[in-house]
Amino acid sequence: MSASETPLERVAIVGAGVIGNGWAARCLAHGLDVTVTDPDPDAERRLHEAIETAWPTLEKRGVAPGASRNRVRFTTDLADAVAGAQLIQENAPEREGLKREVLARIDAAADPDAIIGSSTSGLLPSTLQADCSHPERVMVAHPFNPVYLLPLVELVGGEQTDPAAVQRGAELYRVIGMRPLIVRREIEGHIADRLMEALWREALHLVNDGVATTEEVDAAVVYGAGLRWSLMGTFLTFHLAGGEGGMRHMLEQFGPALKLPWTKLEAPELTDELIERVADGCEHQAAGRSVQQLEARRDEFLRRLLDLVSEYWPEAEGLEGRI
Ligand SMILES: NC(=O)c1ccc[n+]([C@@H]2O[C@H](COP(=O)([O-])OP(=O)(O)OC[C@H]3O[C@@H](n4cnc5c(N)ncnc54)[C@H](O)[C@@H]3O)[C@@H](O)[C@H]2O)c1
């Protein structure tokens, strides 16, 4: 059996923060053996806590036969963690120099056929793979928080990535229930974070300019566009906004508005005052609930929403980039 046909059995997670732990929980739920590494001595405690928090929701969604929370091993030794893994996911802090160094160490210790994905939200794969001896199997594999529930993973190859490795990566991520979206060309922020950053910049301006509170901005998303976005993206949503004429009519009607100077491409300065306003606003919205309590509420909601999305887009199952 060649390496590309070996079934996925072992995954290594490098960097056990919010995202690394989310990957670990997802892989465990799919019945895999998972090794996790992080230099922080407190990371092991956080890893187990994160798995415990995610597991009830994962069980409700249905875990694979043989899946167990106990099939995870923690080590501070990176080389030990990645040896023998078929898929290695890097989730170190978003700092270019650090990530390059961590990826080079992963590359040196990994099996030659292992696929190496970086969770980076915005860095380019060509930069990240630059110090690797086998850059052809290094790619961006950008997920969404919570990784154990949200299926999107953006796969982006760099100048030195072999397109066949990206296809192999897509197969492996599908094994753990993800929906790979292969990004055609590398670009900072990939696709999804480009969109999210645009919304985030506008949201910060609205709060900074005193137009709205954080709660009011969130209400504008949650009770309006956000509800539609869980089923249809921006384009299909606007196709419906054009009535019988669809997108063509929508562009005729609203196209001129694109020339209005509404949007601000640059984010506002993160002054102490803005930071206070945004952080206080979020604490007011949380109304005494801890982040963990909010996560539990979010997870239960997402679990049911995912079922709804599958019910309403059955034909999109397994298709890439559809919906
Ligand atoms: N938080 C999000 O919503 C989100 C979403 C998608 C992608 N990402 C990306 O995932 C990556 C991790 O983000 P996060 O939010 O989990 O950060 P985090 O701060 O929660 O976790 C980072 C972890 O990396 C560990 N670390 C530090 N130095 C390390 C090293 N040399 N080797 C291995 N691990 C090391 C830290 O101890 C920490 O546990 C970033 O690249 C980020 O852009 C984040």
Side-chain angles (χ1 to χ4, degrees):
M1 198 183 273
S2 77
S4 64
E5 290 162 335
T6 313
L8 182 59
E9 286 166 355
R10 276 202 54 196
V11 176
I13 305 295
V14 179
V18 174
I19 294 303
N21 292 340
W23 280 109
R26 172 177 278 275
C27 293
L28 289 170
H30 281 83
L32 303 179
D33 290 313
V34 181
T35 312
V36 179
T37 185
D38 193 296
D40 181 352
D42 198 32
E44 184 170 13
R45 177 193 62 78
R46 291 199 311 263
L47 165 71
H48 291 294
E49 260 181 32
I51 294 168
E52 287 307 310
T53 304
W55 205 257
T57 312
L58 289 168
E59 278 190 318
K60 279 194 203 164
R61 264 186 81 65
V63 299
S68 163
R69 277 171 280 192
N70 299 328
R71 288 174 65 182
V72 64
R73 182 170 72 85
F74 181 86
T75 169
T76 50
D77 181 345
L78 183 146
D80 170 39
V82 306
Q86 294 133 316
L87 177 63
I88 301 159
Q89 189 72 29
E90 173 276 313
N91 321 278
E94 187 79 347
R95 297 204 299 274
E96 185 183 311
L98 173 70
K99 276 198 184 291
R100 277 175 72 153
E101 186 238 302
V102 170
L103 282 162
R105 284 168 56 212
I106 294 174
D107 175 61
D111 288 4
D113 296 316
I115 296 290
I116 303 174
S118 169
S119 293
T120 180
S121 300
L123 300 170
L124 295 177
S126 291
T127 309
L128 294 175
Q129 70 191 171
D131 306 320
C132 295
S133 308
H134 288 286
E136 68 281 355
R137 42 54 182 281
V138 177
M139 65 198 73
V140 165
H142 175 238
F144 284 79
N145 186 39
V147 182
Y148 49 89
L149 287 176
L150 296 188
L152 185 67
V153 59
E154 293 180 291
L155 296 185
V156 199
E159 280 159 19
Q160 300 187 74
T161 312
D162 181 350
V166 177
Q167 292 300 334
R168 167 79 176 141
E171 273 171 41
L172 298 181
Y173 289 108
R174 261 187 230 108
V175 171
I176 53 170
M178 301 202 83
R179 176 183 287 269
L181 175 60
I182 297 175
V183 179
R184 292 164 192 266
R185 188 159 60 82
E186 63 181 327
I187 168 176
E188 288 93 348
H190 328 309
I191 297 175
D193 277 354
R194 284 270 163 147
L195 300 174
M196 292 206 303
E197 282 291 320
L199 185 66
W200 179 224
R201 284 193 298 264
E202 296 301 323
L204 286 175
H205 275 297
L206 290 167
V207 173
N208 197 41
D209 296 347
V211 175
T213 64
T214 61
E215 193 167 9
E216 287 159 359
V217 172
D218 281 358
V221 175
V222 169
Y223 300 110
L227 285 171
R228 300 186 305 212
W229 279 333
S230 24
L231 186 67
M232 297 179 192
T234 299
F235 284 105
L236 203 52
T237 294
F238 282 173
H239 182 57
L240 272 59
E244 280 182 4
M247 179 54 95
R248 280 179 204 289
H249 178 63
M250 146 76 197
L251 288 174
E252 274 163 27
Q253 193 179 358
F254 297 109
L258 293 173
K259 298 283 183 202
L260 296 174
W262 279 353
T263 56
K264 303 188 185 185
L265 288 175
E266 299 243 337
E269 188 71 28
L270 272 186
T271 58
D272 289 348
E273 195 190 339
L274 179 56
I275 292 170
E276 285 306 309
R277 204 180 286 179
V278 169
D280 283 353
C282 289
E283 272 154 31
H284 173 73
Q285 286 175 259
R289 299 180 203 95
S290 69
V291 168
Q292 268 185 334
Q293 286 169 321
L294 291 170
E295 280 172 349
R297 179 179 287 203
R298 174 202 64 192
D299 286 2
E300 183 56 17
F301 177 78
L302 285 177
R303 184 184 71 76
R304 295 176 62 186
L305 192 57
L306 283 167
D307 287 345
L308 261 185
V309 173
S310 305
E311 190 182 327
Y312 282 84
W313 281 121
E315 71 276 25
E317 282 300 309
L319 295 181
E320 261 145 57
R322 191 81 178 270
I323 70 171

